[in-house]
Amino acid sequence: MASKAPAAVNGRDRDLHTENLTINMGPSHPAMHGTVRIILTLDGETVVDADPDIGYLHRGFEKMAEAGTWSKVIPYTDRLNYVSPLINNVGYCGAVEKLLDIEITERCKYIRVFISEIARICDHLTAVAASALEVGAFTPFLWAVQAREEFYFLIEMIAGARVTTSYTRIGGLRWDLPEGWQERYEACEKRLFRMMDDIETLLTRNRIFIDRNADVGVMKAKEAVEWGFTGPSLRAAGVDYDVRKAAPYLVYDRLDFDVPIGHKGDNFDRYLVRLEEIRQSVRIIRQVIRDIPEGPVNVDDWRIVLPPKDAVYNTIEGMIAHFELIMKGVQVPKGEAYYAVEGGNGELGFYLVSDGSGRPYRVHVRPPCFALMQGLKDMIIGGMVADIIPTFDSINMIGGEIDR
Amino acid sequence: MTEFASDRVLKRFPEQVIETHRQHGDDTVVVKRDGLVEVLEFLRDEMDFLMPIDVTCVDRLAMADPPEYESDPLHPMLTTQTVPSLGKLDGPRFEVVYHLRSLSRGALVRVKVPVDEDDPVVPSGTGVLKGFNWFEREVFDMFGIRFDGHPDLRRVLLYPEFEGHPLRKDYPRKGYQPRLDMPGLNGDKVPGIKE
Amino acid sequence: MGKLVDRPEPDVMIQSYLPEVWNGMKRVSKHFFANLLMKKGYVTIQYPEQKIDYAPRFRGNHRLMHREDGTVRCVACFLCSTACPADCISIVAGETDNRDVEKAPVKFEIDHLRCIFCGFCEEACPCDAIRLDSGEHRVPAFTRKDEMSGKEDLLSRGGPSISKQGGEFK
Amino acid sequence: MDLTFLLMTLLKIVLICFVFAMILGAILTWGERKLSAVVQDRIGPNRASILGVTALGLMHPIADMLKAFTKEDFVPAGANRFLFAMAPMLAMVPPLVVFAVVPFGPGPDFVIAPLDTGVLFIFAIGGMGIYGATLGGWSSNNSFALLGSLRAAAQMISYEVSMGLNLVGIFMIFGTVSLSNIVLGQGQLLWGWLPMWGIVVQPVAFILFMTASMAENKRAPFDLPEGESEILGYNLEYSSMRFALFFLSEFVEIVVIAAMAATLFFGGWQIPWVDPQGTAGGWITVGQVAAFVGKVVFLCWVQLIIRWTLPRFRYDQVMALGWKYLLPLSLLNIVATAVVLAML
Amino acid sequence: MPTLKIDGREITVKDGTRVIEAADALGIPIPRFCYHPGLPVAANCRMCLVETNRAPKPVPSCHDFCGDGMEVQTATEKVIEARRAVLEYILLNHPVDCPTCDQAGECDLQDQYFEYDHKPSRHAFRKAHKPKARAIGPRVVYDAERCINCTRCVRFCEDIAGAPQLRQIQRGEKAYIDVFPGTELDNPYSMCAADVCPVGALTVRDFRFKCRVWFMKGTQSVCGECSRGCSVRVDTYKNEVQRIVPRHNPNVNQYWACDAGRTAFHSFDEGRLEAARVRGRDTDFDQALDQFAHDLEEALGKGLTPAVILSPFMTCEDAFAAISLFKTKAPGAVYSIGGREDGEADEVLIRADRNPNRAGLKMILDSFGIETAPIKTLHEAAHPVVIAFGYEFEERNYAKMAVQAAQLSAVFASMDVIGDVETYAFPAVSPYETYGTWVNEFGVIQRVRPAVKAPEAAKQARRFIADLAERLGAPLGDASLVGIFGLMTEEIEEFKGLELDAVGPFGIKLWEDAADVEAETDAGGDEAEPEEAAKESGESNKTDSAEEA
């Protein structure tokens, strides 16, 4: 149990002989999502050493992906960041399209932006709500979850499922947007703003909340970059980096939005950045609704997307193309590509290697949480046990993504 | 058009660079193993590639000629081989792939290092950017490539007793691991505690 | 350049705890009384008695479609089980007496313990035989056997298929 | 000590401790769930029924109780079994005993033991509550529980101090430590129209008292000893009835705090301007008892609302709050009260 | 020796080479339906059109001979448009049958449409109707709607099978293939007619609706139905043999195999010997072997000479291991070769000897200098100890009589065919579950590979021979495939200098003799293939050996 500790922690000289306490925080610990263990060495309540241990949700995503065709990976991507699965779908299909060197249709691009932003709102809502929950405020959490629920209904309407969306396809989408999606979205947005007002009233200026979060889990800009932080956690440190701006994909370069950045990189900044990003996402969606063009959503190439059902049922040409695509999959030329999108927690990258057959040769995901988790150690050492929880939450680690 | 990082690297280290290309617009440098740290340091210090994005690895084993899915010329759908071929590869088996991003340039660069199967060791990039730490651990975990000079090279996703490196192409897709004995789970008796 | 977020300065109002606690309590009480007295804000669904409608695209229980004469539309082409990422569909093909059809599934079984409701089978079906649009979600069962849906079970949820054997221009 | 007195006392104990406090405590478990649900736009418990009667979910406490009785009573390996079994009882008893001195209505008939040193008795007994949490955490043989019990001990001892000091102002004003007399004292009118309730004459002390006593009770925002997302609490290893005792003791303590606050700051059974001496009898007495119960329920509600509004403090922040803010403020309050009293 | 350029790449070919063959040698893809390397050229599908500098319009490359100075373009706009048009035309009347068609997945029409056309249909009329799913023979079903009239099957029956049973009748869109009235497509190679069909018009009844082709895994193996030992691919799904198709091998069978060999696998799973048996009681394999070793040692100690019945279904390695064991332990043993009785030979592929490895056994026995005793008279000698190996005892009556006459007998067999007369019975693997080599009548050594996993109890013969040898105190050393093959290359004249990994998909010819000339006659094919295939085999062999070890 005992381990050697430095003579002084936090500048306090010890005059009493005490022993450090080593405890396992997790994996069965309510704040560890059941998927992480942090081996803590404590001096009283102060964290002397921490060793995050991940992998409890490892499913072998990358190995499984090599087993089927390129399209069969799509349902697996739902289960990466299961809070914002639509972004994963968009990222994976974008990567395959990059390998295929094809340009998807305008409407499809706008729809993909739309669903990405909806997913981002869900993701940030969850993170913000959980940041309240983790410090003991249960009510804001449930309010936020209610607002998220509205978005889930919208997602179900679009994709047919709330979480396991599998909405995008290589070269397009499973479906076009359904009738009445706009009205549904308006309702969601109304609910969202009402809820955000409620949450901010309870939290943003509440001293208990500020005390718990401000100057806790600080990650300075330079350090954050060096650890490979991306997303809200990096922006909270004051670094203006967003994949949507730095390497625009889809139609983000045509849309007008701000990248919120924080002051010091503490938990409170991450909370504020996320709230602001929700507002920016709404702004993007407004523009998408304004600009979205009519037209097809799938590329016009039967070697990449499945033919329309009408052609499949009634013509031999459609039937053959359908058969070939299902049996052999999309034939992706030999090569490699890295394609990154801005996921809920940062840069979600897909590095794909194709050997020219119908199956992925290698599918690698760059999960944003992975880099965040390796920096967690620096953020929690020197703090108190209770600080681990909001800090751990504010980087919003998602087990499905980090463990794959 | 701004200059490509790979061109600068090639100019600076003509000896160490094996090739450069920009497939699908991804700026790529293939370097020799010995030159990796130098190149990474050069990229960090002079090209401002400060952000470690990713480290991964590709096992090129199944790319051996003929590939795993080689088919019968008369019946192209049928795979004639049930196991990945262990044929001779042209070139080293592994390729460790580093991705770095520069915030000021808004550019991404990929650095690839071919590694032989017999000596799967790569100098660690953690000395250059500490953010490579866990990514390299993952590569070690999944491919068994050791990183020379890594401060904490342990498995990261799998448990320490795991046998083999699952993302290698010769690791079976439906493999089983031996069962482990769990200490301290016999009854309620925990060692060291008196009843 | 990014936009700096608005970070509240720790002024007296914040430092003294009470005003913000008071505001919070007001907002919470507002919800409390609004819900208690007007009963409008509740979002709870009293599930078994009360159900919400699923979206038309909702991917729920599978169903097998049938022809006009009530026989199964499926011709056991195995595309669904090929497309299935979870490997949950098992089919045994057989010949039928109907010479126009030639082939029909003798066994068509879906293992719902493996199924992930991704809808790939529906998408892969070249005959409009399998669909996931029954609008019911999967109800859990007590035994593994109950989680296997056989042909009859799937057909019982089915409806008339919109595709014709051999296509419209046969 | 005649038989009637004994019987009467016993009856009062049963009525007050077990009927009033326990039932109110049990109802509060329902109340907390229901209230949190309503606050969070949910319906809350409404399913448990006896012969189809759900009574707004009031059957849930009964169901919970039955469940707690029938669950496995688990003792972790390496636990100190005796202390492990004792701890929940130690936690449960003090809040019940406290009711002995709380006047429910006018006159000595409505109090079990009309002690002259009522408040001191409360502090003396209330201090015992620490043992329940501390021993429970320590005897569980679990690091997290140990951390929880350490937090509990430190926190409860710290807040005991300021809680006591808060009330000194009240004693000074009313010149007594007997609860019955304090209540009688609050029947006076200030400037001829304002009831001289504790909250009127000692508003700062009321806020401080509520804060301190909620901290004492380990409830949000001071629920660090059982902070479920951090260290899981001193009662981590408890299950079944033993856990239920811890749980119930918390709710009984809510009632205790509400009863004390009502007695000390809200005029106890006093109805403003009506029969301040409590001698009227008849329906007025009934109304006065009802007024007391009403005040207690209201104060319980306030505590619950606070619970569902605020996030939790951090350990060092709680200690800082207790020692750096509450204690000086209480002392200041005493001084100010003394100065004002001296000037008057 | 004309030299020509195809898509800018130069190649020199033999006189009389077709352009499509030259392109194949270069690896330049030219789509085709009617052209088949093993059949005469008809040039009626027009899919292989290419542009040359010799003609103003595209010419069918399967029909044009290479000429000196010829320049061929295979991917010009004109050619691509021509292919597209041909595909559109072929698909005009093609039924929407992929879901019910067994060919889907290995259908040339599917693949080539996807590769060279992949455009939506412009056709919105009724399609022509023709007879569907007609059983035109005992083993083949014909669907006239799917037929593209490439006449490969007609040419196959005429030229290869030597049984002109099929004919194209009618003309234009009404054209279809049929048998002559009152006859059936019943020649012994009729299933190959279905094989050569590029679409699903002719399908095999034996395989009808059994399995989708893309699920199956192919294993390169050898047919054991007669002593020609045709190269085949065994297609399996879920550890079950689904079908057997011939594999191209210019040394042995060209592109063909007989129907009997292709349906033989059905019989190999019937009546398996499921567990080791001692005097009629099921016993643990090792325990039975212990007892047998003990009994055998006792018998040998008494000076009894055993009779060993070898089976021509054994692989060379198994036989070699068995003989070398008994050679050391019982020098006086009598050897005999069992196997199936001779049948009738024909002029195409089928040989009279219905056993795959008699030549190999003879070779091994010769190298040991052993004379075999004829099986038919073996029982007359009434050997007290009989050890019989065999996958199949067609001559089982003789073997049975010999076993019955013995005091101590042991049978190693995959099938329980000999009845309950032996003392010991040990389950062995079937030819579809075994590793090893077979030598055919013409001296081509080929590798046999397991297509399916053997039942748990069954063991490869050389495995239990090695176990037996250990128990008898004469260990064999390295009993793996590679190990025994290495020993064989040292001991046997014909095997000298051979390496297991060098035995490619076409096998290796061990000796030249007169019979070869016959097989040589219709050797065609392209030059590039052997090399490629040899390379391929190198890979797979290595894997096999690794697995086996």
Side-chain angles (χ1 to χ4, degrees), chain A residues 63 98 241 328 336 338 347 361-362 364 366 374 404, chain B residues 26 53-54 56-57 59 77 101 112 131 138 168-169 171:
Chain A
K63 190 81 179 173
K98 185 172 176 181
Y241 171 73
K328 296 183 186 169
E336 56 184 344
Y338 177 84
E347 175 166 344
Y361 187 79
R362 173 104 173 87
H364 173 70
R366 189 259 180 208
Q374 59 175 341
R404 282 159 287 160
Chain B
D26 290 348
I53 290 293
D54 192 18
T56 185
C57 179
D59 180 0
M77 273 311 287
R101 204 184 270 279
K112 295 210 287 187
E138 190 197 329
R168 288 189 172 193
K169 288 281 178 183
Y171 188 90

mmCIF file of all heavy atoms in Angstrom, chain A residues 63 98 241 328 336 338 347 361-362 364 366 374 404, chain B residues 26 53-54 56-57 59 77 101 112 131 138 168-169 171:
data_model
loop_
_atom_site.group_PDB
_atom_site.id
_atom_site.type_symbol
_atom_site.label_atom_id
_atom_site.label_comp_id
_atom_site.label_asym_id
_atom_site.label_seq_id
_atom_site.Cartn_x
_atom_site.Cartn_y
_atom_site.Cartn_z
ATOM 1 N N LYS A 63 -9.170 -4.514 -35.848
ATOM 2 C CA LYS A 63 -9.042 -5.870 -36.379
ATOM 3 C C LYS A 63 -10.347 -6.305 -37.052
ATOM 4 O O LYS A 63 -10.339 -6.908 -38.113
ATOM 5 C CB LYS A 63 -8.702 -6.822 -35.231
ATOM 6 C CG LYS A 63 -8.307 -8.221 -35.664
ATOM 7 C CD LYS A 63 -6.877 -8.284 -36.090
ATOM 8 C CE LYS A 63 -6.483 -9.685 -36.511
ATOM 9 N NZ LYS A 63 -5.138 -9.716 -37.085
ATOM 10 N N LYS A 98 -11.923 9.888 -49.784
ATOM 11 C CA LYS A 98 -10.626 10.465 -50.115
ATOM 12 C C LYS A 98 -9.758 9.432 -50.823
ATOM 13 O O LYS A 98 -9.078 9.732 -51.798
ATOM 14 C CB LYS A 98 -9.950 10.952 -48.842
ATOM 15 C CG LYS A 98 -8.645 11.671 -49.075
ATOM 16 C CD LYS A 98 -8.148 12.297 -47.792
ATOM 17 C CE LYS A 98 -6.788 12.942 -47.994
ATOM 18 N NZ LYS A 98 -6.272 13.529 -46.769
ATOM 19 N N TYR A 241 -7.410 26.380 -32.587
ATOM 20 C CA TYR A 241 -7.257 25.292 -33.545
ATOM 21 C C TYR A 241 -8.543 24.490 -33.622
ATOM 22 O O TYR A 241 -9.057 23.981 -32.633
ATOM 23 C CB TYR A 241 -6.105 24.362 -33.146
ATOM 24 C CG TYR A 241 -6.058 23.120 -33.970
ATOM 25 C CD1 TYR A 241 -5.636 23.187 -35.299
ATOM 26 C CD2 TYR A 241 -6.449 21.889 -33.450
ATOM 27 C CE1 TYR A 241 -5.620 22.052 -36.071
ATOM 28 C CE2 TYR A 241 -6.435 20.757 -34.231
ATOM 29 C CZ TYR A 241 -6.018 20.831 -35.531
ATOM 30 O OH TYR A 241 -6.001 19.719 -36.304
ATOM 31 N N LYS A 328 -18.730 -8.025 -53.219
ATOM 32 C CA LYS A 328 -17.307 -7.706 -53.243
ATOM 33 C C LYS A 328 -16.995 -6.402 -52.531
ATOM 34 O O LYS A 328 -15.864 -6.157 -52.172
ATOM 35 C CB LYS A 328 -16.827 -7.578 -54.676
ATOM 36 C CG LYS A 328 -16.933 -8.846 -55.463
ATOM 37 C CD LYS A 328 -16.357 -8.618 -56.827
ATOM 38 C CE LYS A 328 -16.563 -9.825 -57.720
ATOM 39 N NZ LYS A 328 -16.246 -9.514 -59.111
ATOM 40 N N GLU A 336 -3.146 5.010 -49.449
ATOM 41 C CA GLU A 336 -3.369 5.317 -48.050
ATOM 42 C C GLU A 336 -3.846 6.753 -47.939
ATOM 43 O O GLU A 336 -3.547 7.579 -48.806
ATOM 44 C CB GLU A 336 -2.084 5.123 -47.241
ATOM 45 C CG GLU A 336 -0.932 5.925 -47.782
ATOM 46 C CD GLU A 336 0.357 5.671 -47.041
ATOM 47 O OE1 GLU A 336 0.301 5.116 -45.956
ATOM 48 O OE2 GLU A 336 1.409 6.049 -47.560
ATOM 49 N N TYR A 338 -5.184 9.878 -44.878
ATOM 50 C CA TYR A 338 -5.569 10.305 -43.531
ATOM 51 C C TYR A 338 -6.602 11.392 -43.698
ATOM 52 O O TYR A 338 -6.401 12.347 -44.446
ATOM 53 C CB TYR A 338 -4.348 10.833 -42.775
ATOM 54 C CG TYR A 338 -4.696 11.364 -41.399
ATOM 55 C CD1 TYR A 338 -4.802 10.504 -40.315
ATOM 56 C CD2 TYR A 338 -4.933 12.720 -41.193
ATOM 57 C CE1 TYR A 338 -5.135 10.980 -39.075
ATOM 58 C CE2 TYR A 338 -5.271 13.204 -39.950
ATOM 59 C CZ TYR A 338 -5.369 12.337 -38.891
ATOM 60 O OH TYR A 338 -5.715 12.816 -37.652
ATOM 61 N N GLU A 347 -9.865 16.301 -32.794
ATOM 62 C CA GLU A 347 -9.597 15.803 -34.133
ATOM 63 C C GLU A 347 -9.807 14.288 -34.178
ATOM 64 O O GLU A 347 -9.076 13.524 -33.576
ATOM 65 C CB GLU A 347 -8.164 16.145 -34.522
ATOM 66 C CG GLU A 347 -7.791 15.543 -35.865
ATOM 67 C CD GLU A 347 -6.524 16.136 -36.435
ATOM 68 O OE1 GLU A 347 -6.109 17.200 -35.959
ATOM 69 O OE2 GLU A 347 -5.961 15.531 -37.353
ATOM 70 N N TYR A 361 -7.514 -2.784 -45.798
ATOM 71 C CA TYR A 361 -6.296 -3.458 -45.360
ATOM 72 C C TYR A 361 -5.957 -3.046 -43.942
ATOM 73 O O TYR A 361 -5.539 -3.860 -43.133
ATOM 74 C CB TYR A 361 -5.139 -3.115 -46.290
ATOM 75 C CG TYR A 361 -3.901 -3.910 -45.977
ATOM 76 C CD1 TYR A 361 -3.795 -5.221 -46.408
ATOM 77 C CD2 TYR A 361 -2.877 -3.368 -45.222
ATOM 78 C CE1 TYR A 361 -2.688 -5.975 -46.081
ATOM 79 C CE2 TYR A 361 -1.770 -4.118 -44.903
ATOM 80 C CZ TYR A 361 -1.679 -5.418 -45.334
ATOM 81 O OH TYR A 361 -0.593 -6.169 -45.002
ATOM 82 N N ARG A 362 -6.154 -1.777 -43.670
ATOM 83 C CA ARG A 362 -5.893 -1.297 -42.318
ATOM 84 C C ARG A 362 -6.793 -0.100 -42.095
ATOM 85 O O ARG A 362 -6.858 0.804 -42.925
ATOM 86 C CB ARG A 362 -4.429 -0.886 -42.215
ATOM 87 C CG ARG A 362 -4.062 -0.208 -40.918
ATOM 88 C CD ARG A 362 -3.301 -1.139 -40.008
ATOM 89 N NE ARG A 362 -2.824 -0.423 -38.840
ATOM 90 C CZ ARG A 362 -3.550 -0.261 -37.727
ATOM 91 N NH1 ARG A 362 -4.748 -0.764 -37.644
ATOM 92 N NH2 ARG A 362 -3.071 0.399 -36.693
ATOM 93 N N HIS A 364 -7.297 2.655 -39.193
ATOM 94 C CA HIS A 364 -6.816 3.143 -37.910
ATOM 95 C C HIS A 364 -7.591 4.397 -37.549
ATOM 96 O O HIS A 364 -7.819 5.249 -38.391
ATOM 97 C CB HIS A 364 -5.328 3.458 -37.975
ATOM 98 C CG HIS A 364 -4.810 4.113 -36.730
ATOM 99 N ND1 HIS A 364 -4.694 3.436 -35.545
ATOM 100 C CD2 HIS A 364 -4.424 5.378 -36.468
ATOM 101 C CE1 HIS A 364 -4.240 4.262 -34.613
ATOM 102 N NE2 HIS A 364 -4.072 5.446 -35.157
ATOM 103 N N ARG A 366 -7.811 7.711 -35.122
ATOM 104 C CA ARG A 366 -7.074 8.561 -34.205
ATOM 105 C C ARG A 366 -8.121 9.136 -33.260
ATOM 106 O O ARG A 366 -8.794 10.097 -33.582
ATOM 107 C CB ARG A 366 -6.375 9.663 -34.990
ATOM 108 C CG ARG A 366 -5.412 10.473 -34.193
ATOM 109 C CD ARG A 366 -5.970 11.793 -33.763
ATOM 110 N NE ARG A 366 -4.963 12.505 -32.993
ATOM 111 C CZ ARG A 366 -5.249 13.385 -32.067
ATOM 112 N NH1 ARG A 366 -6.489 13.696 -31.815
ATOM 113 N NH2 ARG A 366 -4.299 13.982 -31.404
ATOM 114 N N GLN A 374 -3.760 10.852 -22.119
ATOM 115 C CA GLN A 374 -2.357 10.787 -21.702
ATOM 116 C C GLN A 374 -1.938 12.076 -21.015
ATOM 117 O O GLN A 374 -1.010 12.071 -20.215
ATOM 118 C CB GLN A 374 -1.447 10.441 -22.866
ATOM 119 C CG GLN A 374 -1.505 11.409 -24.022
ATOM 120 C CD GLN A 374 -0.496 11.071 -25.096
ATOM 121 O OE1 GLN A 374 0.443 10.352 -24.844
ATOM 122 N NE2 GLN A 374 -0.699 11.569 -26.290
ATOM 123 N N ARG A 404 -11.509 1.467 -28.451
ATOM 124 C CA ARG A 404 -11.776 0.907 -29.789
ATOM 125 C C ARG A 404 -12.074 -0.560 -29.799
ATOM 126 O O ARG A 404 -11.399 -1.431 -29.575
ATOM 127 C CB ARG A 404 -10.648 1.226 -30.744
ATOM 128 C CG ARG A 404 -10.747 2.649 -31.214
ATOM 129 C CD ARG A 404 -9.445 3.150 -31.717
ATOM 130 N NE ARG A 404 -8.563 3.372 -30.599
ATOM 131 C CZ ARG A 404 -7.263 3.449 -30.710
ATOM 132 N NH1 ARG A 404 -6.688 3.320 -31.828
ATOM 133 N NH2 ARG A 404 -6.532 3.663 -29.635
ATOM 134 N N ASP B 26 -1.873 13.989 -49.141
ATOM 135 C CA ASP B 26 -1.228 13.843 -47.841
ATOM 136 C C ASP B 26 0.288 13.874 -48.035
ATOM 137 O O ASP B 26 0.862 13.032 -48.706
ATOM 138 C CB ASP B 26 -1.617 12.511 -47.184
ATOM 139 C CG ASP B 26 -3.059 12.496 -46.755
ATOM 140 O OD1 ASP B 26 -3.672 13.578 -46.766
ATOM 141 O OD2 ASP B 26 -3.574 11.425 -46.436
ATOM 142 N N ILE B 53 -0.087 14.192 -33.838
ATOM 143 C CA ILE B 53 -1.450 13.779 -34.133
ATOM 144 C C ILE B 53 -1.624 12.291 -33.882
ATOM 145 O O ILE B 53 -2.542 11.867 -33.199
ATOM 146 C CB ILE B 53 -1.819 14.121 -35.591
ATOM 147 C CG1 ILE B 53 -1.950 15.635 -35.754
ATOM 148 C CG2 ILE B 53 -3.104 13.448 -36.019
ATOM 149 C CD1 ILE B 53 -3.097 16.240 -35.009
ATOM 150 N N ASP B 54 -0.706 11.519 -34.383
ATOM 151 C CA ASP B 54 -1.010 10.101 -34.378
ATOM 152 C C ASP B 54 0.263 9.303 -34.636
ATOM 153 O O ASP B 54 1.141 9.745 -35.361
ATOM 154 C CB ASP B 54 -2.024 9.834 -35.493
ATOM 155 C CG ASP B 54 -2.620 8.451 -35.393
ATOM 156 O OD1 ASP B 54 -2.515 7.862 -34.321
ATOM 157 O OD2 ASP B 54 -3.183 7.977 -36.380
ATOM 158 N N THR B 56 0.876 5.246 -35.752
ATOM 159 C CA THR B 56 0.289 3.924 -35.939
ATOM 160 C C THR B 56 1.246 3.093 -36.767
ATOM 161 O O THR B 56 2.367 3.501 -37.020
ATOM 162 C CB THR B 56 -1.101 3.998 -36.590
ATOM 163 O OG1 THR B 56 -1.659 2.704 -36.627
ATOM 164 C CG2 THR B 56 -1.026 4.557 -37.983
ATOM 165 N N CYS B 57 0.793 1.956 -37.153
ATOM 166 C CA CYS B 57 1.675 1.040 -37.839
ATOM 167 C C CYS B 57 0.866 0.251 -38.848
ATOM 168 O O CYS B 57 -0.338 0.057 -38.677
ATOM 169 C CB CYS B 57 2.308 0.106 -36.805
ATOM 170 S SG CYS B 57 3.408 -1.096 -37.502
ATOM 171 N N ASP B 59 1.026 -3.388 -40.880
ATOM 172 C CA ASP B 59 1.699 -4.658 -41.091
ATOM 173 C C ASP B 59 1.494 -5.029 -42.545
ATOM 174 O O ASP B 59 0.385 -5.340 -42.967
ATOM 175 C CB ASP B 59 1.095 -5.709 -40.164
ATOM 176 C CG ASP B 59 1.760 -7.053 -40.330
ATOM 177 O OD1 ASP B 59 2.674 -7.141 -41.170
ATOM 178 O OD2 ASP B 59 1.368 -7.992 -39.622
ATOM 179 N N MET B 77 -14.219 -14.944 -57.743
ATOM 180 C CA MET B 77 -14.742 -14.655 -56.415
ATOM 181 C C MET B 77 -14.128 -15.534 -55.329
ATOM 182 O O MET B 77 -14.142 -15.204 -54.165
ATOM 183 C CB MET B 77 -16.252 -14.878 -56.385
ATOM 184 C CG MET B 77 -17.083 -13.709 -56.794
ATOM 185 S SD MET B 77 -16.637 -12.204 -55.998
ATOM 186 C CE MET B 77 -17.270 -12.519 -54.362
ATOM 187 N N ARG B 101 1.051 17.761 -37.042
ATOM 188 C CA ARG B 101 0.344 18.888 -37.616
ATOM 189 C C ARG B 101 1.022 20.171 -37.157
ATOM 190 O O ARG B 101 1.531 20.259 -36.044
ATOM 191 C CB ARG B 101 -1.118 18.895 -37.177
ATOM 192 C CG ARG B 101 -2.011 19.633 -38.146
ATOM 193 C CD ARG B 101 -3.406 19.697 -37.621
ATOM 194 N NE ARG B 101 -4.254 18.583 -38.018
ATOM 195 C CZ ARG B 101 -4.870 18.477 -39.188
ATOM 196 N NH1 ARG B 101 -4.692 19.385 -40.116
ATOM 197 N NH2 ARG B 101 -5.650 17.456 -39.441
ATOM 198 N N LYS B 112 6.855 8.182 -42.416
ATOM 199 C CA LYS B 112 6.763 6.728 -42.349
ATOM 200 C C LYS B 112 8.149 6.128 -42.169
ATOM 201 O O LYS B 112 9.117 6.578 -42.784
ATOM 202 C CB LYS B 112 6.138 6.166 -43.633
ATOM 203 C CG LYS B 112 4.706 6.592 -43.815
ATOM 204 C CD LYS B 112 3.901 5.566 -44.564
ATOM 205 C CE LYS B 112 4.239 5.523 -46.040
ATOM 206 N NZ LYS B 112 3.308 4.614 -46.749
ATOM 207 N N GLY B 131 3.749 13.967 -26.623
ATOM 208 C CA GLY B 131 2.415 13.459 -26.933
ATOM 209 C C GLY B 131 2.411 12.151 -27.692
ATOM 210 O O GLY B 131 1.368 11.530 -27.863
ATOM 211 N N GLU B 138 0.575 2.162 -27.837
ATOM 212 C CA GLU B 138 -0.449 1.388 -28.532
ATOM 213 C C GLU B 138 0.169 0.574 -29.672
ATOM 214 O O GLU B 138 -0.187 -0.587 -29.883
ATOM 215 C CB GLU B 138 -1.522 2.331 -29.079
ATOM 216 C CG GLU B 138 -2.722 1.570 -29.587
ATOM 217 C CD GLU B 138 -3.602 2.396 -30.493
ATOM 218 O OE1 GLU B 138 -3.674 3.612 -30.310
ATOM 219 O OE2 GLU B 138 -4.206 1.811 -31.397
ATOM 220 N N ARG B 168 -1.237 -7.597 -35.813
ATOM 221 C CA ARG B 168 -0.390 -8.204 -36.833
ATOM 222 C C ARG B 168 -1.248 -9.086 -37.727
ATOM 223 O O ARG B 168 -2.189 -9.719 -37.248
ATOM 224 C CB ARG B 168 0.695 -9.055 -36.173
ATOM 225 C CG ARG B 168 1.756 -8.251 -35.501
ATOM 226 C CD ARG B 168 2.876 -9.147 -35.069
ATOM 227 N NE ARG B 168 3.996 -8.361 -34.586
ATOM 228 C CZ ARG B 168 5.191 -8.862 -34.382
ATOM 229 N NH1 ARG B 168 5.426 -10.122 -34.627
ATOM 230 N NH2 ARG B 168 6.167 -8.101 -33.946
ATOM 231 N N LYS B 169 -0.894 -9.150 -38.967
ATOM 232 C CA LYS B 169 -1.759 -9.870 -39.889
ATOM 233 C C LYS B 169 -1.744 -11.372 -39.646
ATOM 234 O O LYS B 169 -2.634 -12.078 -40.089
ATOM 235 C CB LYS B 169 -1.341 -9.584 -41.330
ATOM 236 C CG LYS B 169 -1.694 -8.185 -41.779
ATOM 237 C CD LYS B 169 -3.161 -8.078 -42.161
ATOM 238 C CE LYS B 169 -3.482 -6.642 -42.555
ATOM 239 N NZ LYS B 169 -4.886 -6.445 -42.867
ATOM 240 N N TYR B 171 -1.926 -12.704 -36.730
ATOM 241 C CA TYR B 171 -2.721 -13.019 -35.531
ATOM 242 C C TYR B 171 -4.131 -13.355 -35.998
ATOM 243 O O TYR B 171 -4.727 -12.595 -36.755
ATOM 244 C CB TYR B 171 -2.734 -11.824 -34.586
ATOM 245 C CG TYR B 171 -3.364 -12.134 -33.251
ATOM 246 C CD1 TYR B 171 -2.612 -12.612 -32.192
ATOM 247 C CD2 TYR B 171 -4.734 -11.969 -33.057
ATOM 248 C CE1 TYR B 171 -3.191 -12.903 -30.988
ATOM 249 C CE2 TYR B 171 -5.324 -12.257 -31.849
ATOM 250 C CZ TYR B 171 -4.547 -12.728 -30.813
ATOM 251 O OH TYR B 171 -5.124 -13.027 -29.616
#
